Amino acid sequence: MSRGMHEPLEAAAVRQTVEELYARVAARFPERGLRRVCGDLLVIIDEVTSGSSRSQHRIRAARVGSRVAMLLVLVATVVALAMATWDAVTDDGAVDSSLDLLPLIETVVNDVVFAGIAVFFLWSFPERLQRGQLLDLLHQLRSTAHIIDMHQLTKDPEQLKPSFVPTSASRPLGMTRDQVERYLDYCSEMLSLVGKTAALCAEESRDAVVLDTVSTVEQLTVGLSRKIWQKISTLPPGEPYVAPAPAPASAEGVEDLDGQPPRL
């Protein structure tokens, strides 16, 4: 494999991971709002996936149209300059002095400037169209990350400690220690998937503004996830898990490879 090749991030794999997370959240916290946030993330991934094919066709058509318009602008500019030059140097329009060239120079400069502005606008139009669509999706992802952070803000590990003394303004946690840990872990995992969804937008464009926004969303999710794991690390220790002992196998009816009863 060459150094320039890389395996792209697949939207189907990201969506499958979000679906699995949605099922886990729904099974453990069916009444919590975190399940709806995970469902919203699935909708955004579908928009990225479905919008990608539609966007490519629309951008391809816009690129063809802009290139044709650029060609027409260049041809019209060349024709206009040729006509202005011809009128300035023909018999009736003979140049008597250098001052007679000033209108021609002014016309040439104006036509070249306006043609350059039009060409620049038409050349960048398809990229700006794609940029606007991707920035809208990235804005939704940034809002989703902040919503996830709002859900975990009230999950205070201090309320699980025996020394915690609630006040009249304290909001009941209503969750056990293991539930809080699972909830915070789901929030951290969901933030990571928000970052992966933002990376899907980077697969569709190499625009500098889009890539910078994707990097900003990824940094946001990493920072919020780090804050959640700091909470998890301050949880009080729970009861160690003890796996159930396996049931002893019955010796009746069991024979070894030689057809003899096993020796106990």
Side-chain angles (χ1 to χ4, degrees), residues 24 26-27 41 43 64 85 98 134 156 204 210 217 257:
R24 290 157 53 199
L41 182 57
V43 174
V64 172
T85 304
S98 59
L134 293 177
D156 187 9
E204 302 296 332
V210 173
V217 174
L257 297 178

Side-chain angles (χ1 to χ4, degrees), residues 4-257:
M5 296 179 62
H6 72 284
E7 185 177 356
L9 183 64
E10 296 182 359
V14 177
R15 194 186 195 286
Q16 181 180 359
T17 306
V18 177
E19 286 179 345
E20 294 173 355
L21 178 61
Y22 179 87
R24 290 157 53 199
V25 173
R28 195 177 293 267
F29 304 106
E31 302 300 328
R32 296 281 179 173
L34 192 64
R35 178 178 62 87
R36 293 190 295 271
V37 178
C38 194
D40 293 339
L41 182 57
L42 282 173
V43 174
I44 297 177
I45 294 178
D46 290 338
E47 290 182 4
V48 174
T49 305
S50 60
S52 175
S53 57
R54 294 196 306 267
S55 176
Q56 291 300 326
H57 292 297
R58 189 161 46 243
I59 291 172
R60 191 177 297 112
R63 184 174 288 114
V64 172
S66 65
R67 300 303 184 262
V68 172
M70 286 169 52
L71 181 61
L72 293 177
V73 169
L74 292 176
V75 171
T77 302
V78 171
V79 171
L81 292 177
M83 293 177 62
T85 304
W86 177 262
D87 292 340
V89 299
T90 50
D91 185 27
D92 294 336
V95 178
D96 297 331
S97 65
S98 59
L99 294 179
D100 295 333
L101 292 175
L102 291 179
L104 176 62
I105 295 175
E106 182 180 1
T107 301
V108 171
V109 171
N110 290 336
D111 291 346
V112 170
V113 169
F114 288 120
I117 295 175
V119 168
F120 176 78
F121 174 81
L122 293 171
W123 179 270
S124 60
F125 176 73
E127 285 71 22
R128 287 187 288 108
L129 179 64
Q130 184 183 38
R131 178 195 302 171
Q133 298 171 350
L134 293 177
L135 289 180
D136 182 63
L137 291 173
L138 290 171
H139 175 72
Q140 296 181 44
L141 289 172
R142 182 166 47 227
S143 300
T144 302
H146 285 292
I147 292 173
I148 297 172
D149 186 52
M150 288 295 296
H151 278 279
Q152 67 86 25
L153 278 178
T154 58
K155 309 304 180 289
D156 187 9
E158 295 295 327
Q159 298 187 27
L160 299 172
K161 295 182 178 180
S163 59
F164 175 74
V165 178
T167 65
S168 58
S170 297
R171 181 177 180 181
L173 188 59
M175 301 173 68
T176 65
R177 187 262 179 206
D178 292 339
Q179 288 176 334
V180 172
E181 183 178 8
R182 286 290 91 202
Y183 192 93
L184 294 177
D185 182 62
Y186 290 156
C187 289
S188 177
E189 190 173 345
M190 199 177 301
L191 285 171
S192 177
L193 290 171
V194 169
K196 296 299 181 291
T197 307
L200 291 176
C201 297
E203 295 289 337
E204 302 296 332
S205 174
R206 293 297 180 268
D207 185 82
V209 178
V210 173
L211 295 179
D212 184 65
T213 308
V214 169
S215 178
T216 301
V217 174
E218 291 177 335
Q219 293 176 6
L220 173 65
T221 56
V222 169
L224 295 177
S225 181
R226 186 181 296 115
K227 182 173 63 175
I228 291 175
W229 279 104
Q230 289 176 354
K231 275 190 173 184
I232 294 177
S233 64
T234 60
L235 285 170
E239 293 294 332
Y241 173 74
V242 179
S250 175
E252 297 181 359
V254 180
E255 297 181 351
D256 59 7
L257 297 178

